[in-house]
Amino acid sequence: MLGGAFKGLRKPVSLVVEDAEEGDVSHLADIHREGFTQAWSDGELAKLIANDSYFCLVAREKGKSGKPPSAFVLVRTAADEAEVITIATRKSVRRKGAARQLLDAAVRKLQADRAISLFLEVDENNDPAISLYRKLGFKTVGERKGYYASQDREKPSTALVMQRDLG
Ligand SMILES: CC(C)(COP(=O)(O)OP(=O)(O)OC[C@H]1O[C@@H](n2cnc3c(N)ncnc32)[C@H](O)[C@@H]1OP(=O)(O)O)[C@@H](O)C(=O)NCCC(=O)NCCS
């Protein structure tokens, strides 16, 4: 179990990062819905979490037993490479270090498993996420034009492919 206290822009919050549990699924679906217009159902998330090629870490407020997760990251592994499938933080807890702690913990876990490279895709318009990934050492290594469709935009937007070495 990995923990730490971080001062956010508002109230400081202490978080603990741990493996997701079966009972977290509906909360994770809620968090995903808050962060993405194309949300996943409880069933879709449960299936991914149960898949051996994936792992899911959650961040909970420390010292509150049974507290639902405030954020989560879902990672897929394949041989010595891995991909961040999704990461999201509840709106009420954003900018308090949850996503950073989750990615740091995922990187440590992957390094322990001898993975060498971590990839992700992010909408070129998603400034908070791009800023987070750059801060954690990810570099843009490619792009997929017209990748993300959105009702709010006329044209689908480009996905940046970002990568970080784990060695
Ligand atoms: C992107 C997201 C996961 C960040 O979660 P978070 O827990 O608020 O992020 P953190 O508090 O760990 O932020 C770490 C760093 O990321 C960057 N960052 C995070 N949110 C930011 C924002 N709104 N604006 C600018 N930079 C931001 C900052 O560099 C921040 O460090 P700082 O607070 O010391 O300046 C969150 O905004 C979210 O859930 N968004 C909706 C879902 C999403 O877009 N996921 C990514 C899909 S690729």
PDB file of all heavy atoms in Angstrom, residues 7 9 31 34-36 71 86-90 93-101 120-123 126-133 135 148, ligand 1:
ATOM      1  N   LYS A   7      -0.641  18.883  -0.915  1.00  0.00           N
ATOM      2  CA  LYS A   7      -1.406  20.113  -0.778  1.00  0.00           C
ATOM      3  C   LYS A   7      -1.953  20.477  -2.148  1.00  0.00           C
ATOM      4  O   LYS A   7      -1.210  20.618  -3.101  1.00  0.00           O
ATOM      5  CB  LYS A   7      -0.507  21.242  -0.286  1.00  0.00           C
ATOM      6  CG  LYS A   7      -0.253  21.172   1.203  1.00  0.00           C
ATOM      7  CD  LYS A   7       0.518  22.415   1.638  1.00  0.00           C
ATOM      8  CE  LYS A   7       1.095  22.266   3.026  1.00  0.00           C
ATOM      9  NZ  LYS A   7       0.121  21.973   4.042  1.00  0.00           N
ATOM     10  N   LEU A   9      -4.727  23.024  -4.553  1.00  0.00           N
ATOM     11  CA  LEU A   9      -4.953  24.465  -4.599  1.00  0.00           C
ATOM     12  C   LEU A   9      -5.921  24.869  -3.499  1.00  0.00           C
ATOM     13  O   LEU A   9      -5.869  25.961  -2.995  1.00  0.00           O
ATOM     14  CB  LEU A   9      -5.551  24.839  -5.954  1.00  0.00           C
ATOM     15  CG  LEU A   9      -4.578  24.748  -7.132  1.00  0.00           C
ATOM     16  CD1 LEU A   9      -5.289  25.146  -8.409  1.00  0.00           C
ATOM     17  CD2 LEU A   9      -3.377  25.630  -6.903  1.00  0.00           C
ATOM     18  N   ILE A  31     -17.164   7.888 -11.526  1.00  0.00           N
ATOM     19  CA  ILE A  31     -16.017   8.791 -11.757  1.00  0.00           C
ATOM     20  C   ILE A  31     -15.750   8.908 -13.262  1.00  0.00           C
ATOM     21  O   ILE A  31     -15.509   9.999 -13.783  1.00  0.00           O
ATOM     22  CB  ILE A  31     -14.749   8.261 -11.023  1.00  0.00           C
ATOM     23  CG1 ILE A  31     -14.969   8.261  -9.514  1.00  0.00           C
ATOM     24  CG2 ILE A  31     -13.527   9.087 -11.389  1.00  0.00           C
ATOM     25  CD1 ILE A  31     -13.875   7.547  -8.714  1.00  0.00           C
ATOM     26  N   GLU A  34     -18.195  11.201 -14.875  1.00  0.00           N
ATOM     27  CA  GLU A  34     -17.914  12.624 -14.603  1.00  0.00           C
ATOM     28  C   GLU A  34     -16.837  13.157 -15.542  1.00  0.00           C
ATOM     29  O   GLU A  34     -16.783  14.345 -15.823  1.00  0.00           O
ATOM     30  CB  GLU A  34     -17.391  12.793 -13.167  1.00  0.00           C
ATOM     31  CG  GLU A  34     -18.462  12.987 -12.135  1.00  0.00           C
ATOM     32  CD  GLU A  34     -17.875  13.408 -10.787  1.00  0.00           C
ATOM     33  OE1 GLU A  34     -16.729  13.895 -10.716  1.00  0.00           O
ATOM     34  OE2 GLU A  34     -18.594  13.232  -9.801  1.00  0.00           O
ATOM     35  N   GLY A  35     -15.948  12.261 -15.996  1.00  0.00           N
ATOM     36  CA  GLY A  35     -14.783  12.710 -16.761  1.00  0.00           C
ATOM     37  C   GLY A  35     -14.904  12.578 -18.263  1.00  0.00           C
ATOM     38  O   GLY A  35     -14.184  13.243 -18.998  1.00  0.00           O
ATOM     39  N   PHE A  36     -15.816  11.719 -18.719  1.00  0.00           N
ATOM     40  CA  PHE A  36     -15.864  11.430 -20.160  1.00  0.00           C
ATOM     41  C   PHE A  36     -17.300  11.443 -20.660  1.00  0.00           C
ATOM     42  O   PHE A  36     -18.200  10.967 -19.966  1.00  0.00           O
ATOM     43  CB  PHE A  36     -15.258  10.044 -20.450  1.00  0.00           C
ATOM     44  CG  PHE A  36     -13.815   9.944 -20.064  1.00  0.00           C
ATOM     45  CD1 PHE A  36     -13.453   9.431 -18.829  1.00  0.00           C
ATOM     46  CD2 PHE A  36     -12.821  10.369 -20.931  1.00  0.00           C
ATOM     47  CE1 PHE A  36     -12.118   9.341 -18.459  1.00  0.00           C
ATOM     48  CE2 PHE A  36     -11.482  10.285 -20.571  1.00  0.00           C
ATOM     49  CZ  PHE A  36     -11.131   9.766 -19.332  1.00  0.00           C
ATOM     50  N   ALA A  71     -10.441   8.547  -7.253  1.00  0.00           N
ATOM     51  CA  ALA A  71      -9.811   8.551  -8.578  1.00  0.00           C
ATOM     52  C   ALA A  71      -9.344   7.134  -8.884  1.00  0.00           C
ATOM     53  O   ALA A  71      -9.168   6.323  -7.969  1.00  0.00           O
ATOM     54  CB  ALA A  71      -8.612   9.497  -8.582  1.00  0.00           C
ATOM     55  N   THR A  86      -7.319   4.337 -19.142  1.00  0.00           N
ATOM     56  CA  THR A  86      -8.044   5.527 -18.694  1.00  0.00           C
ATOM     57  C   THR A  86      -7.552   5.932 -17.313  1.00  0.00           C
ATOM     58  O   THR A  86      -7.035   5.126 -16.546  1.00  0.00           O
ATOM     59  CB  THR A  86      -9.577   5.288 -18.680  1.00  0.00           C
ATOM     60  OG1 THR A  86     -10.245   6.555 -18.601  1.00  0.00           O
ATOM     61  CG2 THR A  86     -10.021   4.446 -17.509  1.00  0.00           C
ATOM     62  N   ILE A  87      -7.739   7.234 -17.030  1.00  0.00           N
ATOM     63  CA  ILE A  87      -7.455   7.759 -15.688  1.00  0.00           C
ATOM     64  C   ILE A  87      -8.450   8.894 -15.447  1.00  0.00           C
ATOM     65  O   ILE A  87      -8.729   9.686 -16.360  1.00  0.00           O
ATOM     66  CB  ILE A  87      -5.989   8.239 -15.555  1.00  0.00           C
ATOM     67  CG1 ILE A  87      -5.719   8.732 -14.119  1.00  0.00           C
ATOM     68  CG2 ILE A  87      -5.629   9.292 -16.582  1.00  0.00           C
ATOM     69  CD1 ILE A  87      -4.238   8.872 -13.798  1.00  0.00           C
ATOM     70  N   ALA A  88      -9.013   8.953 -14.256  1.00  0.00           N
ATOM     71  CA  ALA A  88      -9.991  10.005 -13.971  1.00  0.00           C
ATOM     72  C   ALA A  88     -10.063  10.261 -12.467  1.00  0.00           C
ATOM     73  O   ALA A  88      -9.889   9.350 -11.661  1.00  0.00           O
ATOM     74  CB  ALA A  88     -11.374   9.609 -14.499  1.00  0.00           C
ATOM     75  N   THR A  89     -10.322  11.515 -12.152  1.00  0.00           N
ATOM     76  CA  THR A  89     -10.453  11.958 -10.759  1.00  0.00           C
ATOM     77  C   THR A  89     -11.801  12.638 -10.604  1.00  0.00           C
ATOM     78  O   THR A  89     -12.221  13.396 -11.486  1.00  0.00           O
ATOM     79  CB  THR A  89      -9.329  12.975 -10.418  1.00  0.00           C
ATOM     80  OG1 THR A  89      -8.069  12.340 -10.612  1.00  0.00           O
ATOM     81  CG2 THR A  89      -9.433  13.464  -8.986  1.00  0.00           C
ATOM     82  N   ARG A  90     -12.482  12.368  -9.495  1.00  0.00           N
ATOM     83  CA  ARG A  90     -13.756  13.050  -9.219  1.00  0.00           C
ATOM     84  C   ARG A  90     -13.550  14.561  -9.282  1.00  0.00           C
ATOM     85  O   ARG A  90     -12.545  15.050  -8.772  1.00  0.00           O
ATOM     86  CB  ARG A  90     -14.234  12.699  -7.802  1.00  0.00           C
ATOM     87  CG  ARG A  90     -15.191  11.580  -7.800  1.00  0.00           C
ATOM     88  CD  ARG A  90     -16.024  11.536  -6.546  1.00  0.00           C
ATOM     89  NE  ARG A  90     -16.620  10.222  -6.423  1.00  0.00           N
ATOM     90  CZ  ARG A  90     -17.633   9.804  -7.185  1.00  0.00           C
ATOM     91  NH1 ARG A  90     -18.174  10.596  -8.092  1.00  0.00           N
ATOM     92  NH2 ARG A  90     -18.109   8.585  -7.040  1.00  0.00           N
ATOM     93  N   VAL A  93     -12.357  16.472  -6.257  1.00  0.00           N
ATOM     94  CA  VAL A  93     -11.041  16.157  -5.667  1.00  0.00           C
ATOM     95  C   VAL A  93      -9.910  16.479  -6.652  1.00  0.00           C
ATOM     96  O   VAL A  93      -8.756  16.129  -6.416  1.00  0.00           O
ATOM     97  CB  VAL A  93     -10.973  14.658  -5.261  1.00  0.00           C
ATOM     98  CG1 VAL A  93      -9.820  14.388  -4.321  1.00  0.00           C
ATOM     99  CG2 VAL A  93     -12.258  14.203  -4.591  1.00  0.00           C
ATOM    100  N   ARG A  94     -10.236  17.151  -7.746  1.00  0.00           N
ATOM    101  CA  ARG A  94      -9.205  17.395  -8.755  1.00  0.00           C
ATOM    102  C   ARG A  94      -8.165  18.391  -8.249  1.00  0.00           C
ATOM    103  O   ARG A  94      -8.435  19.205  -7.388  1.00  0.00           O
ATOM    104  CB  ARG A  94      -9.837  17.897 -10.055  1.00  0.00           C
ATOM    105  CG  ARG A  94     -10.497  16.738 -10.773  1.00  0.00           C
ATOM    106  CD  ARG A  94     -10.915  17.071 -12.187  1.00  0.00           C
ATOM    107  NE  ARG A  94     -11.758  15.987 -12.690  1.00  0.00           N
ATOM    108  CZ  ARG A  94     -12.564  16.086 -13.715  1.00  0.00           C
ATOM    109  NH1 ARG A  94     -12.644  17.225 -14.379  1.00  0.00           N
ATOM    110  NH2 ARG A  94     -13.295  15.057 -14.097  1.00  0.00           N
ATOM    111  N   ARG A  95      -6.999  18.293  -8.822  1.00  0.00           N
ATOM    112  CA  ARG A  95      -5.866  19.197  -8.550  1.00  0.00           C
ATOM    113  C   ARG A  95      -5.349  19.054  -7.127  1.00  0.00           C
ATOM    114  O   ARG A  95      -4.900  20.004  -6.528  1.00  0.00           O
ATOM    115  CB  ARG A  95      -6.319  20.628  -8.838  1.00  0.00           C
ATOM    116  CG  ARG A  95      -5.231  21.532  -9.407  1.00  0.00           C
ATOM    117  CD  ARG A  95      -4.791  21.098 -10.771  1.00  0.00           C
ATOM    118  NE  ARG A  95      -3.510  21.688 -11.139  1.00  0.00           N
ATOM    119  CZ  ARG A  95      -3.380  22.792 -11.854  1.00  0.00           C
ATOM    120  NH1 ARG A  95      -4.437  23.416 -12.298  1.00  0.00           N
ATOM    121  NH2 ARG A  95      -2.182  23.272 -12.146  1.00  0.00           N
ATOM    122  N   LYS A  96      -5.464  17.835  -6.604  1.00  0.00           N
ATOM    123  CA  LYS A  96      -4.939  17.549  -5.264  1.00  0.00           C
ATOM    124  C   LYS A  96      -3.928  16.406  -5.313  1.00  0.00           C
ATOM    125  O   LYS A  96      -3.632  15.790  -4.303  1.00  0.00           O
ATOM    126  CB  LYS A  96      -6.084  17.201  -4.310  1.00  0.00           C
ATOM    127  CG  LYS A  96      -6.971  18.387  -3.970  1.00  0.00           C
ATOM    128  CD  LYS A  96      -8.204  17.933  -3.212  1.00  0.00           C
ATOM    129  CE  LYS A  96      -9.159  19.086  -2.957  1.00  0.00           C
ATOM    130  NZ  LYS A  96      -8.685  19.995  -1.916  1.00  0.00           N
ATOM    131  N   GLY A  97      -3.468  16.089  -6.504  1.00  0.00           N
ATOM    132  CA  GLY A  97      -2.392  15.101  -6.622  1.00  0.00           C
ATOM    133  C   GLY A  97      -2.831  13.661  -6.799  1.00  0.00           C
ATOM    134  O   GLY A  97      -1.996  12.767  -6.838  1.00  0.00           O
ATOM    135  N   ALA A  98      -4.123  13.409  -6.935  1.00  0.00           N
ATOM    136  CA  ALA A  98      -4.587  12.016  -7.024  1.00  0.00           C
ATOM    137  C   ALA A  98      -4.071  11.332  -8.296  1.00  0.00           C
ATOM    138  O   ALA A  98      -3.537  10.220  -8.241  1.00  0.00           O
ATOM    139  CB  ALA A  98      -6.114  11.967  -6.977  1.00  0.00           C
ATOM    140  N   ALA A  99      -4.228  11.985  -9.440  1.00  0.00           N
ATOM    141  CA  ALA A  99      -3.812  11.359 -10.706  1.00  0.00           C
ATOM    142  C   ALA A  99      -2.305  11.145 -10.720  1.00  0.00           C
ATOM    143  O   ALA A  99      -1.809  10.109 -11.162  1.00  0.00           O
ATOM    144  CB  ALA A  99      -4.250  12.221 -11.882  1.00  0.00           C
ATOM    145  N   ARG A 100      -1.587  12.111 -10.197  1.00  0.00           N
ATOM    146  CA  ARG A 100      -0.125  11.979 -10.156  1.00  0.00           C
ATOM    147  C   ARG A 100       0.278  10.776  -9.292  1.00  0.00           C
ATOM    148  O   ARG A 100       1.122   9.977  -9.671  1.00  0.00           O
ATOM    149  CB  ARG A 100       0.493  13.259  -9.604  1.00  0.00           C
ATOM    150  CG  ARG A 100       2.001  13.227  -9.680  1.00  0.00           C
ATOM    151  CD  ARG A 100       2.669  14.337  -8.956  1.00  0.00           C
ATOM    152  NE  ARG A 100       1.846  15.528  -8.829  1.00  0.00           N
ATOM    153  CZ  ARG A 100       2.338  16.756  -8.759  1.00  0.00           C
ATOM    154  NH1 ARG A 100       3.628  16.953  -8.839  1.00  0.00           N
ATOM    155  NH2 ARG A 100       1.554  17.785  -8.581  1.00  0.00           N
ATOM    156  N   GLN A 101      -0.349  10.656  -8.126  1.00  0.00           N
ATOM    157  CA  GLN A 101      -0.013   9.518  -7.253  1.00  0.00           C
ATOM    158  C   GLN A 101      -0.364   8.192  -7.908  1.00  0.00           C
ATOM    159  O   GLN A 101       0.361   7.209  -7.779  1.00  0.00           O
ATOM    160  CB  GLN A 101      -0.794   9.619  -5.941  1.00  0.00           C
ATOM    161  CG  GLN A 101      -0.181  10.571  -4.944  1.00  0.00           C
ATOM    162  CD  GLN A 101      -0.805  10.361  -3.576  1.00  0.00           C
ATOM    163  OE1 GLN A 101      -0.537   9.374  -2.913  1.00  0.00           O
ATOM    164  NE2 GLN A 101      -1.651  11.286  -3.180  1.00  0.00           N
ATOM    165  N   LEU A 120       0.169   5.981 -23.901  1.00  0.00           N
ATOM    166  CA  LEU A 120      -1.217   6.423 -23.701  1.00  0.00           C
ATOM    167  C   LEU A 120      -1.632   7.275 -24.895  1.00  0.00           C
ATOM    168  O   LEU A 120      -0.782   7.738 -25.673  1.00  0.00           O
ATOM    169  CB  LEU A 120      -1.367   7.211 -22.398  1.00  0.00           C
ATOM    170  CG  LEU A 120      -0.505   8.447 -22.205  1.00  0.00           C
ATOM    171  CD1 LEU A 120      -1.127   9.677 -22.838  1.00  0.00           C
ATOM    172  CD2 LEU A 120      -0.279   8.684 -20.726  1.00  0.00           C
ATOM    173  N   GLU A 121      -2.929   7.473 -25.014  1.00  0.00           N
ATOM    174  CA  GLU A 121      -3.475   8.372 -26.034  1.00  0.00           C
ATOM    175  C   GLU A 121      -4.279   9.439 -25.339  1.00  0.00           C
ATOM    176  O   GLU A 121      -5.007   9.140 -24.371  1.00  0.00           O
ATOM    177  CB  GLU A 121      -4.392   7.601 -26.988  1.00  0.00           C
ATOM    178  CG  GLU A 121      -3.626   6.868 -28.045  1.00  0.00           C
ATOM    179  CD  GLU A 121      -4.393   5.695 -28.627  1.00  0.00           C
ATOM    180  OE1 GLU A 121      -5.581   5.531 -28.282  1.00  0.00           O
ATOM    181  OE2 GLU A 121      -3.796   4.942 -29.396  1.00  0.00           O
ATOM    182  N   VAL A 122      -4.149  10.670 -25.801  1.00  0.00           N
ATOM    183  CA  VAL A 122      -4.873  11.768 -25.162  1.00  0.00           C
ATOM    184  C   VAL A 122      -5.340  12.754 -26.239  1.00  0.00           C
ATOM    185  O   VAL A 122      -4.612  13.013 -27.203  1.00  0.00           O
ATOM    186  CB  VAL A 122      -3.975  12.461 -24.095  1.00  0.00           C
ATOM    187  CG1 VAL A 122      -2.680  12.994 -24.665  1.00  0.00           C
ATOM    188  CG2 VAL A 122      -4.738  13.566 -23.364  1.00  0.00           C
ATOM    189  N   ASP A 123      -6.543  13.273 -26.041  1.00  0.00           N
ATOM    190  CA  ASP A 123      -7.094  14.276 -26.959  1.00  0.00           C
ATOM    191  C   ASP A 123      -6.194  15.518 -26.936  1.00  0.00           C
ATOM    192  O   ASP A 123      -5.853  16.017 -25.864  1.00  0.00           O
ATOM    193  CB  ASP A 123      -8.520  14.635 -26.476  1.00  0.00           C
ATOM    194  CG  ASP A 123      -9.273  15.491 -27.477  1.00  0.00           C
ATOM    195  OD1 ASP A 123      -8.669  16.429 -28.049  1.00  0.00           O
ATOM    196  OD2 ASP A 123     -10.472  15.238 -27.667  1.00  0.00           O
ATOM    197  N   ASN A 126      -7.092  18.242 -24.533  1.00  0.00           N
ATOM    198  CA  ASN A 126      -7.230  17.957 -23.100  1.00  0.00           C
ATOM    199  C   ASN A 126      -6.003  18.500 -22.342  1.00  0.00           C
ATOM    200  O   ASN A 126      -5.089  17.761 -21.963  1.00  0.00           O
ATOM    201  CB  ASN A 126      -7.387  16.449 -22.886  1.00  0.00           C
ATOM    202  CG  ASN A 126      -7.807  16.106 -21.474  1.00  0.00           C
ATOM    203  OD1 ASN A 126      -7.676  16.922 -20.562  1.00  0.00           O
ATOM    204  ND2 ASN A 126      -8.299  14.896 -21.274  1.00  0.00           N
ATOM    205  N   ASP A 127      -6.013  19.819 -22.141  1.00  0.00           N
ATOM    206  CA  ASP A 127      -4.835  20.465 -21.542  1.00  0.00           C
ATOM    207  C   ASP A 127      -4.483  19.942 -20.142  1.00  0.00           C
ATOM    208  O   ASP A 127      -3.300  19.734 -19.854  1.00  0.00           O
ATOM    209  CB  ASP A 127      -5.034  21.989 -21.494  1.00  0.00           C
ATOM    210  CG  ASP A 127      -5.065  22.588 -22.891  1.00  0.00           C
ATOM    211  OD1 ASP A 127      -4.453  21.990 -23.796  1.00  0.00           O
ATOM    212  OD2 ASP A 127      -5.718  23.627 -23.082  1.00  0.00           O
ATOM    213  N   PRO A 128      -5.482  19.721 -19.237  1.00  0.00           N
ATOM    214  CA  PRO A 128      -5.108  19.210 -17.912  1.00  0.00           C
ATOM    215  C   PRO A 128      -4.366  17.879 -17.995  1.00  0.00           C
ATOM    216  O   PRO A 128      -3.330  17.687 -17.337  1.00  0.00           O
ATOM    217  CB  PRO A 128      -6.463  19.034 -17.198  1.00  0.00           C
ATOM    218  CG  PRO A 128      -7.368  19.993 -17.878  1.00  0.00           C
ATOM    219  CD  PRO A 128      -6.928  20.029 -19.309  1.00  0.00           C
ATOM    220  N   ALA A 129      -4.867  16.968 -18.823  1.00  0.00           N
ATOM    221  CA  ALA A 129      -4.242  15.642 -18.920  1.00  0.00           C
ATOM    222  C   ALA A 129      -2.859  15.742 -19.567  1.00  0.00           C
ATOM    223  O   ALA A 129      -1.898  15.119 -19.093  1.00  0.00           O
ATOM    224  CB  ALA A 129      -5.145  14.695 -19.709  1.00  0.00           C
ATOM    225  N   ILE A 130      -2.738  16.539 -20.626  1.00  0.00           N
ATOM    226  CA  ILE A 130      -1.437  16.669 -21.296  1.00  0.00           C
ATOM    227  C   ILE A 130      -0.405  17.249 -20.327  1.00  0.00           C
ATOM    228  O   ILE A 130       0.740  16.795 -20.240  1.00  0.00           O
ATOM    229  CB  ILE A 130      -1.571  17.522 -22.581  1.00  0.00           C
ATOM    230  CG1 ILE A 130      -2.411  16.748 -23.609  1.00  0.00           C
ATOM    231  CG2 ILE A 130      -0.200  17.857 -23.162  1.00  0.00           C
ATOM    232  CD1 ILE A 130      -2.840  17.564 -24.813  1.00  0.00           C
ATOM    233  N   SER A 131      -0.848  18.236 -19.540  1.00  0.00           N
ATOM    234  CA  SER A 131       0.059  18.841 -18.557  1.00  0.00           C
ATOM    235  C   SER A 131       0.495  17.806 -17.515  1.00  0.00           C
ATOM    236  O   SER A 131       1.681  17.721 -17.148  1.00  0.00           O
ATOM    237  CB  SER A 131      -0.667  20.027 -17.921  1.00  0.00           C
ATOM    238  OG  SER A 131      -0.078  20.389 -16.724  1.00  0.00           O
ATOM    239  N   LEU A 132      -0.463  16.988 -17.060  1.00  0.00           N
ATOM    240  CA  LEU A 132      -0.149  15.918 -16.098  1.00  0.00           C
ATOM    241  C   LEU A 132       0.892  14.953 -16.692  1.00  0.00           C
ATOM    242  O   LEU A 132       1.904  14.633 -16.051  1.00  0.00           O
ATOM    243  CB  LEU A 132      -1.449  15.165 -15.774  1.00  0.00           C
ATOM    244  CG  LEU A 132      -1.320  13.815 -15.077  1.00  0.00           C
ATOM    245  CD1 LEU A 132      -0.933  14.008 -13.615  1.00  0.00           C
ATOM    246  CD2 LEU A 132      -2.634  13.033 -15.160  1.00  0.00           C
ATOM    247  N   TYR A 133       0.640  14.493 -17.910  1.00  0.00           N
ATOM    248  CA  TYR A 133       1.525  13.495 -18.505  1.00  0.00           C
ATOM    249  C   TYR A 133       2.934  14.066 -18.749  1.00  0.00           C
ATOM    250  O   TYR A 133       3.937  13.395 -18.521  1.00  0.00           O
ATOM    251  CB  TYR A 133       0.932  12.971 -19.822  1.00  0.00           C
ATOM    252  CG  TYR A 133      -0.421  12.305 -19.660  1.00  0.00           C
ATOM    253  CD1 TYR A 133      -1.440  12.490 -20.594  1.00  0.00           C
ATOM    254  CD2 TYR A 133      -0.693  11.485 -18.565  1.00  0.00           C
ATOM    255  CE1 TYR A 133      -2.677  11.878 -20.448  1.00  0.00           C
ATOM    256  CE2 TYR A 133      -1.926  10.879 -18.409  1.00  0.00           C
ATOM    257  CZ  TYR A 133      -2.913  11.081 -19.354  1.00  0.00           C
ATOM    258  OH  TYR A 133      -4.137  10.477 -19.191  1.00  0.00           O
ATOM    259  N   LYS A 135       4.356  16.418 -17.084  1.00  0.00           N
ATOM    260  CA  LYS A 135       4.998  16.552 -15.768  1.00  0.00           C
ATOM    261  C   LYS A 135       5.600  15.217 -15.326  1.00  0.00           C
ATOM    262  O   LYS A 135       6.613  15.175 -14.638  1.00  0.00           O
ATOM    263  CB  LYS A 135       3.951  17.018 -14.758  1.00  0.00           C
ATOM    264  CG  LYS A 135       4.531  17.577 -13.502  1.00  0.00           C
ATOM    265  CD  LYS A 135       3.487  18.347 -12.739  1.00  0.00           C
ATOM    266  CE  LYS A 135       4.041  19.702 -12.333  1.00  0.00           C
ATOM    267  NZ  LYS A 135       3.073  20.532 -11.683  1.00  0.00           N
ATOM    268  N   TYR A 148     -10.904  11.285 -32.019  1.00  0.00           N
ATOM    269  CA  TYR A 148     -11.967  11.452 -31.018  1.00  0.00           C
ATOM    270  C   TYR A 148     -13.149  12.223 -31.608  1.00  0.00           C
ATOM    271  O   TYR A 148     -13.022  13.414 -31.912  1.00  0.00           O
ATOM    272  CB  TYR A 148     -11.464  12.236 -29.797  1.00  0.00           C
ATOM    273  CG  TYR A 148     -10.410  11.521 -28.993  1.00  0.00           C
ATOM    274  CD1 TYR A 148      -9.090  11.966 -28.992  1.00  0.00           C
ATOM    275  CD2 TYR A 148     -10.731  10.420 -28.213  1.00  0.00           C
ATOM    276  CE1 TYR A 148      -8.118  11.331 -28.242  1.00  0.00           C
ATOM    277  CE2 TYR A 148      -9.763   9.768 -27.459  1.00  0.00           C
ATOM    278  CZ  TYR A 148      -8.462  10.237 -27.479  1.00  0.00           C
ATOM    279  OH  TYR A 148      -7.504   9.605 -26.739  1.00  0.00           O
TER     280      TYR A 148
HETATM  281  C1  LIG B   1      -6.699  14.821 -16.055  1.00  0.00           C
HETATM  282  C2  LIG B   1      -7.134  14.441 -14.629  1.00  0.00           C
HETATM  283  C3  LIG B   1      -7.127  12.929 -14.492  1.00  0.00           C
HETATM  284  C4  LIG B   1      -6.109  15.043 -13.634  1.00  0.00           C
HETATM  285  O1  LIG B   1      -6.450  14.563 -12.337  1.00  0.00           O
HETATM  286  P1  LIG B   1      -6.028  15.321 -10.994  1.00  0.00           P
HETATM  287  O2  LIG B   1      -6.142  14.321  -9.875  1.00  0.00           O
HETATM  288  O3  LIG B   1      -6.816  16.551 -10.860  1.00  0.00           O
HETATM  289  O4  LIG B   1      -4.503  15.680 -11.291  1.00  0.00           O
HETATM  290  P2  LIG B   1      -3.358  16.025 -10.222  1.00  0.00           P
HETATM  291  O5  LIG B   1      -3.945  16.807  -9.107  1.00  0.00           O
HETATM  292  O6  LIG B   1      -2.612  14.789  -9.878  1.00  0.00           O
HETATM  293  O7  LIG B   1      -2.442  16.990 -11.087  1.00  0.00           O
HETATM  294  C5  LIG B   1      -1.063  16.726 -11.323  1.00  0.00           C
HETATM  295  C6  LIG B   1      -0.548  17.737 -12.328  1.00  0.00           C
HETATM  296  O8  LIG B   1      -1.278  17.635 -13.555  1.00  0.00           O
HETATM  297  C7  LIG B   1      -1.465  18.950 -14.126  1.00  0.00           C
HETATM  298  N1  LIG B   1      -2.878  19.336 -14.099  1.00  0.00           N
HETATM  299  C8  LIG B   1      -3.907  18.633 -13.539  1.00  0.00           C
HETATM  300  N2  LIG B   1      -5.077  19.293 -13.738  1.00  0.00           N
HETATM  301  C9  LIG B   1      -4.772  20.418 -14.413  1.00  0.00           C
HETATM  302  C10 LIG B   1      -5.553  21.497 -14.909  1.00  0.00           C
HETATM  303  N3  LIG B   1      -6.885  21.556 -14.732  1.00  0.00           N
HETATM  304  N4  LIG B   1      -4.921  22.494 -15.579  1.00  0.00           N
HETATM  305  C11 LIG B   1      -3.574  22.459 -15.771  1.00  0.00           C
HETATM  306  N5  LIG B   1      -2.773  21.453 -15.320  1.00  0.00           N
HETATM  307  C12 LIG B   1      -3.370  20.451 -14.654  1.00  0.00           C
HETATM  308  C13 LIG B   1      -0.682  19.893 -13.238  1.00  0.00           C
HETATM  309  O9  LIG B   1       0.643  19.926 -13.746  1.00  0.00           O
HETATM  310  C14 LIG B   1      -0.742  19.174 -11.902  1.00  0.00           C
HETATM  311  O10 LIG B   1       0.295  19.539 -11.024  1.00  0.00           O
HETATM  312  P3  LIG B   1       0.101  20.837 -10.042  1.00  0.00           P
HETATM  313  O11 LIG B   1      -1.277  20.736  -9.431  1.00  0.00           O
HETATM  314  O12 LIG B   1       1.210  20.658  -9.054  1.00  0.00           O
HETATM  315  O13 LIG B   1       0.250  22.013 -10.932  1.00  0.00           O
HETATM  316  C15 LIG B   1      -8.532  15.028 -14.269  1.00  0.00           C
HETATM  317  O14 LIG B   1      -8.570  16.380 -14.658  1.00  0.00           O
HETATM  318  C16 LIG B   1      -9.703  14.289 -14.917  1.00  0.00           C
HETATM  319  O15 LIG B   1     -10.236  13.325 -14.346  1.00  0.00           O
HETATM  320  N6  LIG B   1     -10.107  14.741 -16.127  1.00  0.00           N
HETATM  321  C17 LIG B   1     -11.230  14.080 -16.841  1.00  0.00           C
HETATM  322  C18 LIG B   1     -10.808  12.731 -17.382  1.00  0.00           C
HETATM  323  C19 LIG B   1      -9.601  12.841 -18.314  1.00  0.00           C
HETATM  324  O16 LIG B   1      -9.513  13.738 -19.142  1.00  0.00           O
HETATM  325  N7  LIG B   1      -8.661  11.863 -18.173  1.00  0.00           N
HETATM  326  C20 LIG B   1      -7.482  11.796 -19.009  1.00  0.00           C
HETATM  327  C21 LIG B   1      -7.820  11.116 -20.294  1.00  0.00           C
HETATM  328  S1  LIG B   1      -6.403  10.911 -21.358  1.00  0.00           S
END
